[in-house]
Amino acid sequence: MKIVITGATGFLGSNLVKHFNEKQYEIYAIVRENSNTKQLDKNNIEYCVYNGNVTELIEFFNKRKPDVVIHTAAFFVSEHMYSQVDNLIDSNIRFSTHILEAMSRTGVTNFINTSTVWEHYNNEEYNPSCLYAATKKVVEDIIKYYVEAEGLKAITLVLYDTYGKNDTRGKIISKFAEIINTQEEIAMSKGEQEIGLLHIDDVVQAYGITVNMFQNMKEKYEKYYLLPNEIHSLKEIAHIFEEVSGKKLLIHWGERPYRKREVMKVYRQGVCLPGWNPSIDLYNGIKDLMEE
């Protein structure tokens, strides 16, 4: 099977490259000019450098004819500044549309999209918690056009928060793993917000299931949620860290305000991916992270 992965140098994308490469699939990547491709070069992964030109993508897909395109690339920011608006649009909407257009022009039909549970502020069916989440919803609407008008088949996977080894995104779970050893003191909110955490290995397994679903799809477009078995508040997650490590996190709870449109309740109403269930509980996932 030939698979193209966008965002292949990011946390999720690099783990997908590793997983499918170990399965001896034919892997290709699409990266940006400033991406660190050292790991791709090390593993002899061929990649296309995207410079904002759809023609390059058409040529790349025409040459390689992948069976599936897995789209993980995105620009994320929870609270944007005006200077980041263009990046959000270019990275999340323009690039995604270029991928879909290139697929439609070259007969590549199977597309896996990656979206976010942050589309469900206040636990609503659709209410974006931030501009990033709004751009991801726009992409879903564009996908539906290409499905109906150009004959593509697509599956959107909605992700909750992910974590695991070698994560350089600055997520709070990685911060806890860092400061529990350095004993740095940090100020935080009251910690009442819920977080659904998924170990990266479980997420990768979900994509492994999804690449094989296109042949038997009932609809041309399907959407599934990778819902964690466990939902914890931020404060509860900190307590699990302390239990695993036997050390105290030096957190000053309540000294910072909640973020604008902070997601306090995790959305639980989505349809879970068939045949998938997370196998790594948070206690063992944190234990694994602490051993890094």
Side-chain angles (χ1 to χ4, degrees):
M1 181 180 287
K2 296 181 181 180
I3 300 177
V4 166
I5 300 173
T6 75
T9 60
F11 180 58
L12 172 57
S14 61
N15 277 278
L16 289 172
V17 168
K18 181 175 181 290
H19 172 78
F20 289 118
N21 196 36
E22 288 173 352
K23 285 186 171 292
Q24 298 186 328
Y25 288 7
E26 201 170 323
I27 306 301
Y28 302 97
I30 299 174
V31 300
R32 290 188 176 274
E33 283 182 299
N34 59 353
S35 298
N36 182 353
T37 59
K38 184 177 180 181
Q39 199 62 32
L40 295 176
D41 294 329
K42 181 180 178 181
N43 290 290
N44 296 314
I45 303 296
E46 181 182 339
Y47 54 87
C48 169
V49 178
Y50 173 70
N51 296 314
N53 190 338
V54 69
T55 305
E56 296 168 347
L57 296 177
I58 292 172
E59 291 174 356
F60 183 69
F61 284 140
N62 224 2
K63 182 180 179 182
R64 295 305 171 200
K65 295 290 186 182
D67 299 294
V68 180
V69 176
I70 301 178
H71 185 38
T72 74
F75 175 66
F76 168 77
V77 59
S78 58
E79 291 183 299
H80 73 276
M81 297 181 289
Y82 68 85
S83 59
Q84 296 171 313
V85 170
D86 286 349
N87 203 353
L88 281 161
I89 293 170
D90 287 343
S91 298
N92 299 345
I93 299 175
R94 187 165 180 259
F95 177 44
S96 300
T97 307
H98 278 184
I99 293 289
L100 292 161
E101 180 67 19
M103 290 175 65
S104 73
R105 297 284 176 173
T106 56
V108 179
T109 58
N110 300 326
F111 183 73
I112 299 176
N113 179 48
T114 305
S115 193
T116 173
V117 75
W118 283 32
E119 292 180 2
H120 303 288
Y121 180 68
N122 270 348
N123 216 23
E124 296 177 33
E125 184 63 27
Y126 177 64
N127 186 347
S129 64
C130 56
L131 185 56
Y132 160 74
T135 64
K136 298 301 285 183
K137 180 61 168 60
V138 170
V139 172
E140 289 184 51
D141 291 338
I142 293 171
I143 290 169
K144 289 183 179 180
Y145 163 76
Y146 280 95
V147 165
E148 296 297 333
E150 302 295 342
L152 269 63
K153 291 190 289 187
I155 299 173
T156 287
L157 295 181
V158 181
L159 268 58
Y160 292 70
D161 286 286
T162 57
Y163 73 101
K165 292 181 178 179
N166 303 312
D167 186 358
T168 59
R169 296 173 297 169
K171 294 282 189 175
I172 191 61
I173 198 87
S174 300
K175 184 65 176 177
F176 282 174
E178 174 191 337
I179 68 171
I180 206 158
N181 288 317
T182 62
Q183 290 294 283
E184 174 190 347
E185 296 185 28
I186 59 170
M188 300 204 70
S189 67
K190 292 180 180 179
E192 299 163 321
Q193 62 269 49
E194 290 184 344
I195 300 178
L197 283 164
L198 284 171
H199 194 279
I200 189 62
D201 290 352
D202 281 328
V203 176
V204 166
Q205 290 300 321
Y207 281 84
I209 291 170
T210 308
V211 297
N212 295 310
M213 291 177 62
F214 288 98
Q215 197 167 14
N216 299 313
M217 281 179 68
K218 294 179 180 179
E219 304 290 340
K220 292 181 291 184
Y221 177 74
E222 297 177 0
K223 182 175 181 177
Y224 298 109
Y225 288 68
L226 304 186
L227 181 65
N229 287 332
E230 306 171 84
I231 304 295
H232 297 279
S233 70
L234 181 60
K235 187 173 280 188
E236 288 169 346
I237 293 169
H239 290 159
I240 294 172
F241 260 98
E242 293 174 338
E243 184 180 350
V244 170
S245 66
K247 299 178 182 177
K248 185 75 174 173
L249 281 165
L250 304 182
I251 299 173
H252 300 286
W253 298 105
E255 291 195 1
R256 293 181 60 181
Y258 286 117
R259 204 167 40 218
K260 182 182 178 182
R261 295 176 70 80
E262 185 87 50
V263 176
M264 301 302 294
K265 291 290 182 182
V266 168
Y267 185 76
R268 296 172 168 87
Q269 299 173 45
V271 178
C272 190
L273 179 70
W276 175 84
N277 193 50
S279 60
I280 303 173
D281 62 52
L282 188 56
Y283 183 94
N284 285 300
I286 289 174
K287 185 178 180 183
D288 179 62
L289 189 65
M290 294 298 296
E291 292 172 354
E292 185 178 2

